[in-house]
Structure formats: C-alpha cells, structure tokens
Amino acid sequence: MNEQEIIDALSGGLLYILGAVFLIIVIFKGVRIVPQSEKFVVERFGRLKAVLGPGINFIVPFLDVVRHKVSILERQLPNASQDAITRDNVLVEIDTSVFYRILEPEKTVYRIRDVDGAISTTVAGIVRAEIGKMDLDEVQSNRSQLIGEIKRSVESAVDDWGIEVTRAEILDVNLDQATRDAMLQQLNAERARRAHVTEAEGKKRAVELSADAELYAAEQTAKARRIQAEAEAFATEVVAKAIAENGLAAAQYQVALKQVEALNALGNGDGKQTIIVPAQAIEAFGNAFNMLKGK
C-alpha cells in the first residue's frame, strides 16, 4: 500500500468519524427528555415555538432551542406582613402566605418578569382592600371568609400570568398594645355583664319555680277539699236515702252506733282516768245498746 492509498483510507475513515459525530450531535440536539416536575419552553429564531411536557420530546436541531425550564411544582411565597386599616379605623398587621403553581409556562415567561414579587404586591393590595371593608371584630371572627375573598381576588388578578393560586392563608392578625388593652377592658366588661344577666335570670327563674310550687300546692289542697266535700255529700246522700227508705229507725240506729263507738274510745284511753257521765248520757247509751241488740 503506497502513501496515496494510506491517505485516501484515512480521509475516508475521518469522514465516517465526522459523520458519526455529527449524527450524535443531531440526536443530542433533537431529543429532549423533560422531567415530570418541569415544562420546557422552546423558541425558534427568538419566537415561541412549543411547550414540551414531561417525557421524550423531539425538536428540530439547531433551529429550535430550549430557552426556559419552568418548574410546575407548587410554590410558597415567603411569609409577608403588611399594615391595614379596618373599617372602624383600627391599625392591624396581617401576616399572609400564598401557595401557587405555574400551569401555562409560556404566559409566565413572556408576560411577567418577577413572578414572586408580582404576586406578593398583588396580595398586599388585595389584603388592604378587603380589610378596609370589615370591622376589627369581623376580621377576628370571619377569618375563613376573608381568606376566601383574598384567594378569589388573587386568582382573578394572576389569571393572565398562567398561574393557579392553590391556597392563601392568614397566619396572624397583630394589634398594637393600646388596642389590645382596650379590647381586654371590653372583654372584661362583657364578661361582667353576662355574669349579672345570668344571676338575674337565675333569681327570676327561682321566683317563677317558687310561685309554680305554691300554685301547685294550692291546686292540690283545693282538689283534696273538693274530693272530701264530694265524699261527705255522698255519705249524706246515702244517709238521707236510708232515712227516706227505712224511716227514723235508720237514723236512730246510726246515732246509737256513734254513741257506742264513742264509749269504746273513752274506755280504751291510756292510763287510769275517771270519767263522769251524766245520767241522761247513761240512759242514751243503754238505749243505743238495746237498739243494736235489735230490741
């Protein structure tokens, strides 16, 4: 093999090598593997060409360039504090935190430069506007409603930037010391008022229950008297009916029975006692015994 043949062989091998290198470069430039957590913004001659999603993507080598790699993970803005004045002229300091994620990277890249700064400024303005519509008590008690209003307002403001606001949180509402002292005095006064009201209601309830008890006792006494009167009336009716049917003998029989019962009660007394009975009474007792014997 002469020198010319060696040169020709080396030249042909070099061409193959250069061709292989060029092919590798083309493949490397034309194939893009995008991670699951990112999206790539592709430009061609400085203009937006495409947005590459997760997985294997193919672009035109040397013409298309991946200009921006944008993370689509949820992000949290640094906690921010801003002053606001409520509707009742109370100065408060609001600590907020916002979570968001990028849905359309082409809008975020070409429409806004500093995403975090823009969202922070927007949130601060919206918080001041919403706080100005509410009294201090409403800010403290309706925090969830306030958070919802802030989230909706921020979503509307950042819609053109291809961003989704996932959460907006109010971490704390701080007051100056003078306002805190005034609120503490108001709270103590409210507690004292509630205590007095509760005590008064308790006394009122006690009087009502006592009156109800007396009324119930009076009703029961009246009911007992009515039942007793009805019983006496029934007994009188029975006696009157017996007299009407059997004549005077029935009445005398009842009188004699009562006399004998009275005599037995006197005899059954405790201890020893002397009982003086008039002669007429003895005669009446004798007549009663005779009547009971059927004479």
Side-chain angles (χ1 to χ4, degrees):
M1 179 180 294
N2 56 27
E3 183 177 354
Q4 184 64 37
E5 291 177 351
I6 295 175
I7 294 174
D8 292 339
L10 291 176
S11 300
L14 182 60
L15 289 176
Y16 285 119
I17 293 174
L18 292 176
V21 171
F22 179 76
L23 181 60
I24 293 174
I25 294 175
V26 168
I27 294 174
F28 181 78
K29 290 288 186 178
V31 178
R32 287 290 183 267
I33 299 177
V34 182
Q36 183 68 38
S37 60
E38 294 182 352
K39 286 186 178 181
F40 291 177
V41 177
V42 178
E43 293 181 356
R44 179 178 293 178
F45 302 117
R47 294 177 60 87
L48 173 66
K49 176 58 180 178
V51 176
L52 306 182
I56 298 178
N57 297 270
F58 299 94
I59 61 176
V60 178
F62 307 107
L63 297 181
D64 297 340
V65 180
V66 175
R67 188 65 63 185
H68 303 281
K69 297 180 180 180
V70 181
S71 173
I72 58 175
L73 295 177
E74 186 174 7
R75 308 180 187 185
Q76 178 185 6
L77 289 178
N79 297 342
S81 298
Q82 55 263 356
D83 295 334
I85 299 177
T86 62
R87 187 169 55 186
D88 50 354
N89 295 323
V90 177
L91 179 63
V92 295
E93 183 180 357
I94 309 296
D95 294 339
T96 59
S97 180
V98 176
F99 297 80
Y100 73 95
R101 61 182 177 182
I102 297 175
L103 299 181
E104 300 176 90
E106 65 276 16
K107 293 183 179 181
T108 307
V109 169
Y110 296 110
R111 294 186 180 181
I112 189 70
R113 180 182 296 275
D114 184 1
V115 178
D116 290 352
I119 296 178
S120 299
T121 303
T122 303
V123 170
I126 291 174
V127 167
R128 291 191 178 96
E130 294 297 331
I131 292 294
K133 300 177 184 178
M134 307 174 69
D135 293 335
L136 179 60
D137 294 339
E138 295 176 346
V139 174
Q140 298 283 6
S141 60
N142 298 330
R143 185 174 296 187
S144 59
Q145 178 182 351
L146 179 59
I147 291 174
E149 291 294 336
I150 293 173
K151 184 175 181 296
R152 284 190 290 271
S153 300
V154 174
E155 286 178 345
S156 177
V158 303
D159 184 62
D160 291 338
W161 301 338
I163 295 172
E164 177 191 14
V165 176
T166 56
R167 283 185 297 169
E169 299 291 343
I170 294 180
L171 304 178
D172 198 4
V173 179
N174 299 315
L175 305 173
D176 56 16
Q177 190 61 39
T179 304
R180 290 184 180 181
D181 294 341
M183 291 182 64
L184 181 60
Q185 293 178 0
Q186 181 182 1
L187 180 60
N188 292 334
E190 180 65 19
R191 288 177 178 173
R193 183 189 68 81
R194 291 181 180 179
H196 289 312
V197 170
T198 303
E199 183 180 0
E201 290 179 350
K203 291 181 179 180
K204 177 183 177 182
R205 185 58 180 166
V207 171
E208 291 176 352
L209 293 176
S210 178
D212 291 342
E214 293 179 358
L215 178 61
Y216 178 77
E219 290 177 351
Q220 295 302 315
T221 301
K223 185 183 295 184
R225 290 179 179 177
R226 179 175 59 81
I227 294 174
Q228 183 178 3
E230 290 177 354
E232 292 178 354
F234 178 76
T236 303
E237 181 181 358
V238 172
V239 172
K241 184 176 181 180
I243 293 174
E245 293 178 354
N246 302 318
L248 186 59
Q252 292 176 346
Y253 179 80
Q254 290 293 331
V255 173
L257 182 61
K258 295 296 183 181
Q259 289 176 348
V260 173
E261 291 176 355
L263 183 61
N264 289 332
L266 290 174
N268 292 330
D270 297 335
K272 297 180 179 180
Q273 60 270 5
T274 302
I275 302 174
I276 301 175
V277 181
Q280 294 81 356
I282 295 175
E283 183 179 357
F285 286 135
N287 294 333
F289 279 114
N290 291 332
M291 290 181 66
L292 293 175
K293 291 178 180 179
K295 296 182 179 180

